[in-house]
Amino acid sequence: MKKTQTSFNIETREIFKRLFGENTMLTEQLNRLLNDTTALIDSAGDTKTLYGIRVAVLGKNGSLTGILRGLKDLKNEERPVAGKLANDVRETIERELAQKEERLSDEEMERRLLYEKVDLTLDKKPFIVGKIHPLNAVLKKSVAFFVGLGFRVEESREIETVYYNFDALNTAPDHPARDAQDTFFITQDILLRSQTSTGQIRVMEKTRPPIRIISPGRVYRSDEADATHTPCFNQIEGLVVDKGVTMCDLKAVLESYAKFLFSDCTKIRFRPSYFPFTEPSVEVDASCPACHGSGCRICKGTGWIEILGAGMVNRNVLKGVGIDSDVYTGYAFGMGLNRITAIIHGITDARVPFEGDVRFLKQF
Ligand code: DAH
């Protein structure tokens, strides 16, 4: 329904006419305002425009608000009638705005419902969830195990001196590991650590027994990358120094670790070996997690897989950091995280975990 003219309430207009005559300025102003506003409301096509009209007419600085404010300057006897008239105009405009607003917002809602349909038959976009890298997963699991036994995590630095990487670890001056063929030297005295055993010395220098730490981190060796070598890999070092620490303690901890890592039926064995910083030294094998000892391709038919090196801390090492080796004894162990991860997941090429190939990573 299209309206072109809206009038004041008849009674008010009559009274007003009697008081001011038909052509007073105020009547004309209000009449024109009402007609103009009504026309604008009629032609408004959306609620936003309607809101604009509301503000322009009824807002703080709106045209009707201005007229209403002017009423106070009228004579006393004129003011009540003029006030009533102006109020009627305001009420009419309010009503018309509200009616149109309701209609327009209904229409707008209908239009939105029509256009903003969600098509539930559309395929959703593939949602790719990141995974923990297998190396980090084994690291986390190992750290959790040792922390559970009361070990503290002490990361050490990757750039080291010859002293921490070799001398303090009781390594003979002519030991082949010192060779530039094996170790990345930065200067004659500074190198990229080739083993996390350096962390042992740094910890023993600044703490007194009882000491019970693991030190995980990256190590570097100047190896050509191939299926069994990478120039950078990860190790976890372990160190316990206290009164009365024996090789039995070492064996118990490592056996629990191997069971935790592989399975409950895993056994370990110690084979005599040599490391400059431990005496006696051992290499530790775990029963093959793939064939449980019966012999397979993975353990090359032996039923055993070497998992780490260990031993009782050499007296010379303790002496070097000022710990009395007549009072304290200790054990240490060091394992290659990459190797352990490869055993768990059957990874046959040492380079693959570094390549970031999602086809590899997706499998875990
Ligand atoms: N640092 C040795 C390596 O990189 C591993 C190792 C062997 C660490 C025996 C130890 C240990 O603490 O007792 O080959």
Side-chain angles (χ1 to χ4, degrees):
M1 183 182 63
K2 181 135 177 87
K3 269 186 280 145
T4 46
Q5 173 99 26
T6 308
S7 313
F8 317 134
N9 154 327
I10 303 289
E11 196 195 340
T12 317
R13 198 162 53 163
E14 286 309 312
I15 301 168
F16 200 83
K17 224 198 274 177
R18 252 179 280 135
L19 262 173
F20 304 112
E22 187 77 79
N23 283 327
T24 53
M25 264 219 331
L26 190 63
T27 338
E28 251 176 36
Q29 260 184 9
L30 282 169
N31 233 331
R32 204 178 318 123
L33 179 70
L34 184 62
N35 288 336
D36 290 352
T37 310
T38 306
L40 280 173
I41 294 172
D42 273 349
S43 63
D46 53 49
T47 48
K48 214 168 145 194
T49 314
L50 219 52
Y51 180 72
I53 299 171
R54 177 184 286 284
V55 173
V57 179
L58 303 173
K60 216 165 81 188
N61 300 316
S63 37
L64 182 58
T65 317
I67 295 177
L68 284 169
R69 237 180 250 135
L71 291 178
K72 68 175 186 330
D73 303 327
L74 290 177
K75 290 188 206 120
N76 276 352
E77 65 273 24
E78 292 169 355
R79 202 176 302 125
V81 185
K84 173 113 178 45
L85 185 66
N87 257 331
D88 278 350
V89 171
R90 189 176 54 77
E91 273 169 24
T92 309
I93 293 176
E94 295 260 24
R95 198 171 48 245
E96 296 207 349
L97 275 170
Q99 279 168 1
K100 185 80 188 255
E101 220 155 44
E102 194 181 325
R103 221 185 67 216
L104 284 179
S105 56
D106 281 355
E107 279 172 18
E108 281 170 13
M109 177 60 88
E110 257 169 54
R111 227 173 300 142
R112 278 185 63 190
L113 288 174
L114 197 67
Y115 290 113
E116 291 181 13
K117 269 188 303 194
V118 178
D119 184 352
L120 296 174
T121 64
L122 270 182
D123 265 350
K124 64 175 169 44
K125 277 191 187 160
F127 187 67
I128 299 163
V129 183
K131 305 234 181 111
I132 295 180
H133 192 285
L135 278 173
N136 274 332
V138 176
L139 172 66
K140 274 184 166 196
K141 199 172 164 181
S142 304
V143 168
F145 173 82
F146 287 108
V147 167
L149 287 187
F151 284 71
R152 235 170 352 101
V153 179
E154 278 276 349
E155 279 174 276
S156 191
R157 53 196 80 182
E158 289 179 25
I159 297 176
E160 265 299 0
T161 60
V162 166
Y163 175 77
Y164 287 97
N165 201 77
F166 296 122
D167 301 339
L169 286 163
N170 195 39
T171 312
D174 57 352
H175 194 284
R178 291 183 183 250
D179 202 283
Q181 300 259 301
D182 291 307
T183 304
F184 283 117
F185 282 90
I186 295 168
T187 67
Q188 226 182 354
D189 189 45
I190 299 171
L191 45 74
L192 294 179
R193 70 174 172 194
S194 64
Q195 50 187 347
T196 44
S197 306
T198 50
Q200 287 187 31
I201 308 300
R202 295 235 172 236
V203 168
M204 285 192 283
E205 270 183 350
K206 65 173 187 191
T207 21
R208 295 292 90 177
I211 293 169
R212 185 176 285 261
I213 61 108
I214 53 166
S215 186
R218 273 188 288 260
V219 299
Y220 302 84
R221 293 190 190 169
S222 46
D223 280 328
E224 199 67 50
D226 62 24
T228 50
H229 298 90
T230 49
C232 170
F233 57 98
N234 304 267
Q235 286 188 332
I236 304 178
E237 188 78 12
L239 173 73
V240 171
V241 183
D242 203 351
K243 286 179 183 157
V245 174
T246 71
M247 212 145 179
C248 278
D249 301 317
L250 171 67
K251 195 163 188 186
V253 166
L254 293 181
E255 192 171 272
S256 309
Y257 176 61
K259 285 184 192 298
F260 174 79
L261 208 54
F262 303 123
S263 74
D264 250 1
C265 60
T266 305
K267 295 190 188 74
I268 61 163
R269 72 176 184 188
F270 280 8
R271 274 182 295 109
S273 186
Y274 170 78
F275 297 103
F277 34 88
T278 42
E279 179 57 38
S281 300
V282 290
E283 265 165 332
V284 182
D285 298 339
S287 53
C288 175
C291 65
H292 303 291
S294 53
C296 67
R297 195 176 46 87
I298 293 179
C299 58
K300 299 192 180 81
T302 63
W304 295 96
I305 285 197
E306 186 197 321
I307 56 167
L308 50 86
M312 299 304 289
V313 180
N314 194 303
R315 276 173 174 270
N316 292 340
V317 174
L318 293 176
K319 200 163 10 147
V321 291
I323 292 178
D324 186 345
S325 60
D326 288 332
V327 179
Y328 294 104
T329 51
Y331 65 76
F333 56 87
M335 67 186 88
L337 196 62
N338 298 55
R339 180 170 167 72
I340 296 207
T341 308
I343 295 169
I344 291 175
H345 294 297
I347 300 167
T348 48
D349 190 321
R351 292 165 289 194
V352 176
F354 290 98
E355 283 166 358
D357 186 329
V358 281
R359 288 170 303 176
F360 166 75
L361 296 171
K362 262 187 189 162
Q363 302 176 85
F364 302 97

